[in-house]
Amino acid sequence: MDDAAKLKEFDDRIARGEIFEPKDWMPERLRKQLIRMMSQHAHSEVVGMLPEGNWITRAPSLRRKMILLAKVQDEGGHGLYIYSGVESLGVRREDLIDELHAGKAKYSSIFNYPSLLWSDMGAIGWLVDGAAIVNQTTLAKCSFGPYARAMIRICKEENFHKKQGYEILSTMMAGTPAQRAMAQDSINRWWWPSLMMFGPTDKDSPNSIDLMRWGIKRKSNDDLRQRFIDMTVPQAHAIGLTIPDPALKFNKETGHWEIGPINWEEFFNVINGNGPCNKERIAARKHAHDEGKWVREAAVAYAQKHSSLERRAA
């Protein structure tokens, strides 16, 4: 069977809603797109630990510390799940991490913003993880088996993270004027970057067409962003938070909240390495990777030793 026939058969499978696995034939462009998309997702989970890890030692109570510590641990696990899925496509995790450290691989632009206040832990949990859930619940139904299966557990844990963030903010909004001002300040800084997480508007997203054609993306960037806005605005109003958008209005005819223009110049500036914390984030990841070298070497030596003992016993 030639490549044209294989492509038609593959497209027919996708049209029928079937799941494909790593060893199945797939277009080379799709394989490359999956590697790019999944590695970017994995990198985002790992780099995303940094703004929150910054507050573990400064959490205002033991309960808050324990919850935040568990959340950061979850994010590391999410990265491991997705790295494992990417490896099933024939790439080495070490190479993907090297690309991240060299600045060749992208991760979510939002993690290049600083976490300045404790209330930022609420904003990140509610807005950032909330935006991630909107995107990841559709990925849990995508056509690539390893990615879809990883999303099932990840989405469950992200729901916990979102509730944790919202609970922080709702508690602060029921507190003192200073606490309410702190919560509002965090929303003012994280709202627009959260909307940018879904990526450029559809006409400016070069990868979306192929990813939707092959069933990896089930919804467009704009559709996902609108769903997030419609879910989030009423939640903000319920606890007294103000969305920092003077153009925000509810369209009774469409049933959707409408927003002002997004600053896409800022978005592209951040993903091209010029955000507030780009250099800091990569430096922190490289330092952690270098410091952990002895752990990786010890794990490999342990595995090799026990593999040798098992062969002898056999």
Side-chain angles (χ1 to χ4, degrees), residues 176-196:
T176 66
Q179 288 172 325
R180 293 196 293 273
M182 187 185 298
Q184 184 62 56
D185 181 66
S186 293
I187 299 308
N188 293 346
R189 287 182 287 107
W190 289 95
W191 171 253
W192 290 105
S194 296
L195 298 186
M196 296 176 195

Side-chain angles (χ1 to χ4, degrees), residues 273-288:
N274 300 312
C277 297
N278 289 66
K279 294 181 176 61
E280 177 184 331
R281 299 294 185 235
I282 294 300
R285 286 308 315 151
K286 289 172 70 174
H287 176 74

Side-chain angles (χ1 to χ4, degrees), residues 31-291:
R31 184 183 298 275
K32 290 180 179 179
Q33 285 279 31
L34 280 169
I35 292 170
R36 177 197 62 79
M37 182 178 179
M38 292 177 69
S39 63
Q40 178 177 313
H41 190 166
H43 296 330
S44 299
E45 296 284 357
V46 174
V47 175
M49 299 162 67
L50 296 173
E52 294 173 312
N54 183 46
W55 278 92
I56 290 174
T57 59
R58 294 181 287 165
S61 69
L62 179 59
R63 174 178 176 268
R64 297 293 187 191
K65 190 187 300 289
M66 292 170 62
I67 293 172
L68 186 58
L69 188 60
K71 183 187 176 187
V72 172
Q73 179 177 275
D74 285 347
E75 305 294 5
H78 298 173
L80 294 178
Y81 303 153
I82 304 170
Y83 279 133
S84 296
V86 186
E87 287 178 313
S88 72
L89 292 165
V91 294
R92 297 172 67 247
R93 185 180 310 191
E94 293 84 353
D95 294 336
L96 298 175
I97 293 173
D98 286 345
E99 289 181 359
L100 171 66
H101 294 167
K104 297 178 181 178
K106 295 288 193 294
Y107 55 88
S108 181
S109 61
I110 195 144
F111 298 120
N112 289 311
Y113 290 87
S115 52
L116 305 176
L117 305 168
W118 166 251
S119 51
D120 286 8
M121 298 302 96
I124 291 173
W126 176 47
L127 295 178
V128 177
D129 293 314
I133 291 167
V134 169
N135 186 45
Q136 291 168 3
T137 49
T138 62
L139 289 174
K141 300 176 183 178
C142 79
S143 57
F144 184 51
Y147 204 10
R149 289 188 290 271
M151 286 302 107
I152 295 172
R153 175 168 178 171
I154 289 175
C155 285
K156 291 179 180 179
E157 293 177 348
E158 293 289 7
N159 268 293
F160 160 77
H161 300 166
K162 178 185 176 182
K163 291 175 182 178
Q164 170 254 353
Y166 191 65
E167 193 262 346
I168 288 175
L169 292 173
S170 62
T171 299
M172 296 186 76
M173 290 302 292
T176 66
Q179 288 172 325
R180 293 196 293 273
M182 187 185 298
Q184 184 62 56
D185 181 66
S186 293
I187 299 308
N188 293 346
R189 287 182 287 107
W190 289 95
W191 171 253
W192 290 105
S194 296
L195 298 186
M196 296 176 195
M197 282 180 65
F198 296 97
T201 189
D202 299 324
K203 64 183 179 63
D204 297 321
S205 180
N207 300 309
S208 289
I209 294 176
D210 282 343
L211 291 171
M212 292 187 73
R213 169 192 173 190
W214 284 313
I216 305 303
K217 290 185 68 171
R218 296 292 186 178
K219 299 285 185 180
S220 71
N221 293 348
D222 290 332
D223 286 343
L224 292 170
R225 186 167 21 250
Q226 187 62 59
R227 182 183 175 196
F228 171 73
I229 293 167
D230 290 341
M231 290 170 54
T232 307
V233 171
Q235 293 172 352
H237 292 168
I239 58 175
L241 286 166
T242 300
I243 299 296
D245 179 1
L248 181 72
K249 63 180 180 179
F250 185 72
N251 187 324
K252 293 182 180 179
E253 293 184 4
T254 64
H256 296 299
W257 286 92
E258 297 178 354
I259 63 169
I262 295 175
N263 184 355
W264 290 115
E265 182 178 350
E266 176 185 334
F267 171 78
F268 287 111
N269 192 47
V270 173
I271 66 171
N272 286 326
N274 300 312
C277 297
N278 289 66
K279 294 181 176 61
E280 177 184 331
R281 299 294 185 235
I282 294 300
R285 286 308 315 151
K286 289 172 70 174
H287 176 74
H289 189 72
D290 292 342
E291 289 291 303

